[in-house]
């Protein structure tokens, strides 16, 4: 295997895969490391969206031995993450690896056309309270490493009604997370407004943006599709 030392090289060996590029975080050679064997690629990213992730892609015959070598180098806290079929095949090939869960990755390079009153917050006052009420399982929380800033749609009294975060964004791929809407404010299109605002901001800054979503969350997936995102079935495993 050969270690990848620059983002430009990672873009080349991954075929400009946005999920792999995002995993590099623009930080290769420091906290993030990547390797390839031909068109098999593995990127070890600590504390990326709450997990130590080993993002992978490529043909299984080359990828399986590459992943074994990488895990021997970085340790088994890193959870393989990639297209669902690839992860299922890895779990069958790599000793001690178990398939964990399937979900969705979505990304876009489009600027959504949305009329919105959402805006970036000056700080994060009220965010924890809204998350605790509406999305306690969120990976993005104020103060968590990689969570950069929050946007919100607010009520007449300035109370937070719907929020979303710019979190774990890479220079080449922004990332949308922490989406939550107060239960009493649902059904008004506020989540679409906030996500449309953050998506537009991230695309303008990074060129494209991505997110992760529960594959059974049809309403959220429908909102993201309307904002220009395309869906990709992914999965994770652990050793």
């Amino acid at each position: 295997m050969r270690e990848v030392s620059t983002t430009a090289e990672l873009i080349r060996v991954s075929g400009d895969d946005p999920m792999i590029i995002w995993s590099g975080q623009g930080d290769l050679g420091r906290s993030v490391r990547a390797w390839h064997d031909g068109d098999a690629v593995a990127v070890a990213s600590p504390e990326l969206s709450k997990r130590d992730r080993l993002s992978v892609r490529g043909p299984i015959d080359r990828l399986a031995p590459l992943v074994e070598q990488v895990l021997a180098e970085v340790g088994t806290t890193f959870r393989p993450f990639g297209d669902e079929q690839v992860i299922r095949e890895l779990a069958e090939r790599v000793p001690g690896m178990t398939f964990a869960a399937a979900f969705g990755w979505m990304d876009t390079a489009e600027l959504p056309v949305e009329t919105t009153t959402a805006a970036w917050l000056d700080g994060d006052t009220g965010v924890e309270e809204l998350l605790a009420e509406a999305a306690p399982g969120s990976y993005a929380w104020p103060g968590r490493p990689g969570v950069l800033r929050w946007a919100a749609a607010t009520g007449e009294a300035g109370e937070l009604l719907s929020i979303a975060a710019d979190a774990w964004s890479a220079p080449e791929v922004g990332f949308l997370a922490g989406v939550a809407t107060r239960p009493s404010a649902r059904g008004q299109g506020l989540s679409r407004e906030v996500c449309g605002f953050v998506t537009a901001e991230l695309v303008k800054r990074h060129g494209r943006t991505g997110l992760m979503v529960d594959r059974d969350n049809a309403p959220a997936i429908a909102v993201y599709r309307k904002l220009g995102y395309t869906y990709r079935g992914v999965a994770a495993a652990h050793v």
Side-chain angles (χ1 to χ4, degrees):
M1 68 180 182
R2 175 178 172 179
E3 188 153 3
V4 178
S5 59
T6 67
T7 299
E9 185 181 8
L10 185 62
I11 291 171
R12 179 180 61 80
V13 299
S14 72
D16 197 24
D17 184 323
M19 193 169 69
I20 296 294
I21 306 309
W22 169 72
S23 300
Q25 290 286 288
D27 197 34
L28 291 181
R30 294 181 289 274
S31 63
V32 179
R33 297 177 68 189
W35 298 263
H36 80 102
D37 179 7
D39 49 359
V41 183
V43 184
S45 312
E47 294 187 62
L48 179 59
S49 186
K50 196 181 174 182
R51 307 286 190 192
D52 289 345
R53 297 186 185 273
L54 184 65
S55 302
V56 300
R57 63 163 284 145
I60 193 64
D61 288 342
R62 283 191 167 183
L63 186 60
L66 175 65
V67 166
E68 287 192 63
Q69 293 177 71
V70 170
L71 288 174
E73 178 125 354
V74 302
T76 56
T77 63
F78 286 85
R79 296 165 61 99
F81 163 61
D83 289 330
E84 181 177 354
Q85 187 56 40
V86 169
I87 297 301
R88 289 189 181 279
E89 292 179 1
L90 271 181
E92 294 177 354
R93 297 279 194 103
V94 177
M97 186 176 293
T98 303
F99 185 88
F103 45 101
W105 163 276
M106 302 184 77
D107 61 71
T108 183
E110 297 181 17
L111 281 172
V113 180
E114 290 294 311
T115 301
T116 178
T117 60
W120 294 117
L121 294 174
D122 183 14
D124 53 32
T125 301
V127 170
E128 285 199 16
E129 290 80 2
L130 198 160
L131 288 171
E133 178 184 6
S138 172
Y139 280 14
W141 287 78
R144 186 162 285 176
V147 179
L148 303 178
R149 53 184 175 163
W150 294 85
T154 58
E156 292 182 0
E159 71 278 17
L160 303 186
L161 299 180
S162 186
I163 58 172
D166 169 3
W168 305 291
S169 287
E172 303 80 11
V173 184
F175 196 73
L176 170 69
V179 178
T181 300
R182 195 174 301 281
S184 60
R186 289 174 183 166
Q188 302 175 39
L190 296 177
S191 178
R192 177 170 171 171
E193 286 193 31
V194 175
C195 290
F197 169 78
V198 175
T199 297
E201 291 286 295
L202 294 180
V203 169
K204 285 186 283 188
R205 183 170 184 174
H206 302 279
R208 53 189 169 184
T209 190
L211 58 86
M212 293 185 204
V213 63
D214 187 329
R215 66 176 181 174
D216 296 325
N217 192 344
I221 292 171
V223 167
Y224 300 139
R225 287 191 190 278
K226 289 176 182 176
L227 294 174
Y229 287 85
T230 56
Y231 184 90
R232 174 177 177 179
V234 295
H238 57 80
V239 180

